[in-house]
Amino acid sequence: ISLVLTPVSNEVPEHPCVSPVSNQVFERRLIEKYIAENGVDPINGQPLSEEQLIDIKVSHPIRPKAPSATSIPAILKSLQDEWDAVMLHSFTLRQQLQTTRQELSHALYQHDAACRVIARLTKEVTAAREALATLKPQAGLIAPQATPASQTAAVVTAGETLCISEPHSSKSLIHLGKTVPEDLIRAEDLGKFRQVASHAGLHSASIPGIISLDLCPTDTNKVLTGGADKNVVVFDRREEQIVATLKGHTKKVSSVIYHPAQSVVFSASPDSTIRVWSVTGGNCVQVIRAHEASVTGLSLHATGDYLLSSSEDQYWAFSDIQTGRVLTKVTDETAGCALTCAQFHPDGLIFGTGTADSQIKIWDLKERTNVANFPGHSGPVTSIAFSENGYYLATGAQDSSLKLWDLRKLKNFKTITLDNNYEVKSLVFDQSGTYLAVGGSDIRVYICKQWSEVLNFSDHSGLVTGVAFGEHAQFLASTGMDRSLKFYSL
């Protein structure tokens, strides 16, 4: 019926009906009007009334295109309209796919983090059971003693604390699956730190300023500094003497890293190069040319075999330290701005970069994709640091503020507003994730979870460019533009 044309209008009817007089199909609206005027069937002239008309039940008719739409220009326009509709639909689907992939990536990362925590907790439980089994035979021989308050350690840190130690039991304090060292300095003792040493002779006095600092993770008495004088210096804190002065950069040294297991150090500079140095040989063993502009950030992968670097050329790069080969190099084409810092997450699967336009970007190393963004700062990001447990990210920028982000919920949960014109140059968590040190206009140390300030030093006469914790936070090291390396402890 949808293809039948009515004899009156010569069009497909919208509300078809049949005249029993002539057996013809009509548009009800038109035939009713004709009957009202003439009272007969328009085909054979026989008398016809509205009550005689019989409705035809049909689905919605498929109307043929108007004759004007069958011309070539009309057909081309119709095809163009359909193509535009298909393209818009395809774009919407791609957006939905990207959103779904990001949600899946976050879910997989959260699952992986949960598995790591469960594995650590399982290991701790097994160790505790073994210790308990060892202690059981002696349980009847040792009389219980009162536990002085000073001997009960309960450290509240940036996460869940699962047990309290006693003097005659094996101490185990689990901090989100990671054991907090017994020798970790307590907050009240940290607040009593004072300057115990200051060394100003490491770098040239003619071009004053120490730009970067790092301590060897496995022996924090080994100190590494990078200077405005283009030199990298290895210093022994215990012996109070320079172990090596490494020369080769043609501009200041903006970032330095001490390898945890080898006698090797790394440095980066605005001269666009990253250098790998042998401490024992006192020479440069590799020059990695990953960038076309200033190298602004440097971070060592958890395996100790690869370097992450960021640059003003808007790229981050992943390089092999043994061969000096750049394995991958990526930029965010949609952002189009310089990267100002870079830092690996403790698990080595993701990392963060800071940008000159106030953004913090989280990247998936394997997929080489930007999986999350943290907006909120209002100046170039100057420093970022992941906590040891991998849950928190601290960021500092040229807006005189310090922001803390929860990587599980992907949101900012704390903002510490610093003094006006405070410049944040360095952020670092201690190895247990209990304390956060900030270096810039002065030195400040915060205790995690409460995020309250426990320490503040203003001993440097210039901007503080680097801060680092010694083993178990037993001392604090700092460098500044006043060319001095300072140590603080009890």
Side-chain angles (χ1 to χ4, degrees):
I1 187 66
S2 62
L3 298 177
V4 174
L5 303 180
T6 63
V8 176
S9 66
N10 202 34
E11 292 181 357
V12 176
E14 290 186 11
H15 302 288
C17 62
V18 174
S19 166
V21 175
S22 63
N23 295 328
Q24 290 286 339
V25 176
F26 296 98
E27 171 66 61
R28 175 170 276 280
R29 173 178 53 80
L30 294 175
I31 192 66
E32 284 178 350
K33 187 174 181 181
Y34 189 87
I35 291 170
E37 292 176 358
N38 303 293
V40 295
D41 187 299
I43 302 300
N44 54 21
Q46 296 294 319
L48 178 66
S49 65
E50 290 184 19
E51 291 77 18
Q52 288 178 281
L53 297 174
I54 302 167
D55 284 326
I56 301 173
K57 292 184 179 179
V58 294
S59 60
H60 293 294
I62 303 169
R63 300 179 65 85
K65 292 181 179 177
S68 62
T70 57
S71 65
I72 289 176
I75 291 171
L76 290 175
K77 183 179 184 306
S78 175
L79 289 173
Q80 181 66 53
D81 292 344
E82 289 181 16
W83 171 260
D84 291 346
V86 169
M87 287 299 98
L88 287 169
H89 184 59
S90 173
F91 174 73
T92 305
L93 288 177
R94 285 203 308 272
Q95 277 192 320
Q96 291 172 346
L97 173 63
Q98 181 64 20
T99 304
T100 306
R101 287 182 66 180
Q102 283 197 345
E103 289 172 355
L104 177 61
S105 174
H106 296 330
L108 287 173
Y109 174 69
Q110 288 172 341
H111 176 264
D112 179 59
C115 289
R116 291 176 68 228
V117 171
I118 290 167
R120 286 178 174 179
L121 289 174
T122 305
K123 186 178 177 182
E124 292 289 340
V125 168
T126 304
R129 281 178 176 163
E130 288 176 356
L132 183 62
T134 307
L135 291 170
K136 269 184 179 177
Q138 304 172 8
L141 303 176
I142 301 173
Q145 299 178 15
T147 304
S150 61
Q151 290 181 306
T152 302
V155 180
V156 181
T157 53
E160 298 83 357
T161 302
L162 300 185
C163 78
I164 296 173
S165 61
E166 296 178 6
H168 291 290
S169 67
S170 60
K171 296 184 180 181
S172 73
L173 182 66
I174 302 171
H175 161 60
L176 289 173
K178 184 72 175 179
T179 305
V180 173
E182 295 176 22
D183 297 333
L184 182 72
I185 199 83
R186 293 181 302 174
E188 55 266 33
D189 292 333
L190 185 68
K192 299 173 186 174
F193 272 20
R194 58 186 178 81
Q195 182 179 316
V196 293
S198 180
H199 304 277
L202 277 65
H203 290 270
S204 168
S206 59
I207 312 173
I210 299 177
I211 311 291
S212 46
L213 166 71
D214 192 32
L215 305 184
C216 178
T218 48
D219 181 3
T220 53
N221 286 305
K222 293 177 181 175
V223 182
L224 181 65
T225 61
D229 62 356
K230 312 171 191 176
N231 294 342
V232 178
V233 172
V234 182
F235 181 78
D236 189 310
R237 170 178 167 266
R238 188 178 285 115
E239 300 293 331
E240 296 192 342
Q241 64 181 20
I242 294 173
V243 177
T245 299
L246 309 168
K247 300 182 178 184
H249 280 295
T250 57
K251 292 184 180 178
K252 66 182 180 181
V253 180
S254 56
S255 304
V256 290
I257 296 177
Y258 212 120
H259 197 288
Q262 304 173 24
S263 185
V264 169
V265 298
F266 312 95
S267 62
S269 167
D271 66 9
S272 309
T273 66
I274 301 160
R275 289 178 178 264
V276 184
W277 308 85
S278 165
V279 177
T280 50
N283 62 314
C284 178
V285 292
Q286 286 288 352
V287 179
I288 301 171
R289 302 184 187 279
H291 298 285
E292 304 297 324
S294 292
V295 184
T296 54
L298 207 56
S299 184
L300 186 64
H301 191 262
T303 59
D305 295 327
Y306 306 99
L307 273 177
L308 168 72
S309 56
S310 62
S311 169
E312 288 182 2
D313 66 5
Q314 305 179 14
Y315 282 84
W316 60 261
F318 187 64
S319 309
D320 187 322
I321 66 169
Q322 300 298 328
T323 62
R325 196 161 59 92
V326 180
L327 303 177
T328 188
K329 188 175 174 181
V330 176
T331 186
D332 183 354
E333 294 174 355
T334 60
C337 68
L339 300 182
T340 53
C341 51
Q343 189 69 45
F344 265 120
H345 186 273
D347 67 7
L349 300 176
I350 63 171
F351 61 89
T353 59
T355 70
D357 66 349
S358 318
Q359 295 280 325
I360 293 99
K361 296 179 178 291
I362 306 298
W363 299 80
D364 182 308
L365 178 62
K366 187 177 179 183
E367 299 295 328
R368 300 188 292 282
T369 54
N370 177 205
V371 294
N373 290 317
F374 294 146
H377 282 294
S378 59
V381 179
T382 53
S383 184
I384 62 174
F386 289 97
S387 68
E388 195 287 330
N389 62 22
Y391 289 164
Y392 301 126
L393 171 67
T395 61
Q398 288 181 16
D399 55 7
S400 301
S401 73
L402 179 64
K403 289 184 180 289
L404 293 140
W405 310 83
D406 189 322
L407 295 175
R408 295 164 294 181
K409 299 176 182 176
L410 297 175
K411 68 176 186 179
N412 169 224
F413 66 90
K414 178 75 175 177
T415 297
I416 299 172
T417 304
L418 304 167
D419 309 335
N420 287 336
N421 301 320
Y422 190 103
E423 293 188 58
V424 179
K425 290 295 184 184
S426 178
L427 286 174
V428 63
F429 286 91
D430 76 296
Q431 290 175 331
S432 71
T434 308
Y435 303 111
L436 171 66
V438 183
S441 301
D442 57 21
I443 301 166
R444 303 182 185 196
V445 177
Y446 296 87
I447 183 166
C448 298
K449 195 167 186 180
Q450 294 98 321
W451 306 110
S452 56
E453 186 180 303
V454 292
L455 200 61
N456 190 315
F457 288 120
S458 303
D459 298 305
H460 283 280
S461 59
L463 201 62
V464 179
T465 53
V467 283
F469 284 101
E471 188 176 14
H472 306 318
Q474 295 288 336
F475 71 88
L476 187 69
S478 68
T479 53
M481 293 307 292
D482 59 358
R483 203 171 57 94
S484 67
L485 165 65
K486 296 181 184 293
F487 296 102
Y488 305 87
S489 66
L490 288 172

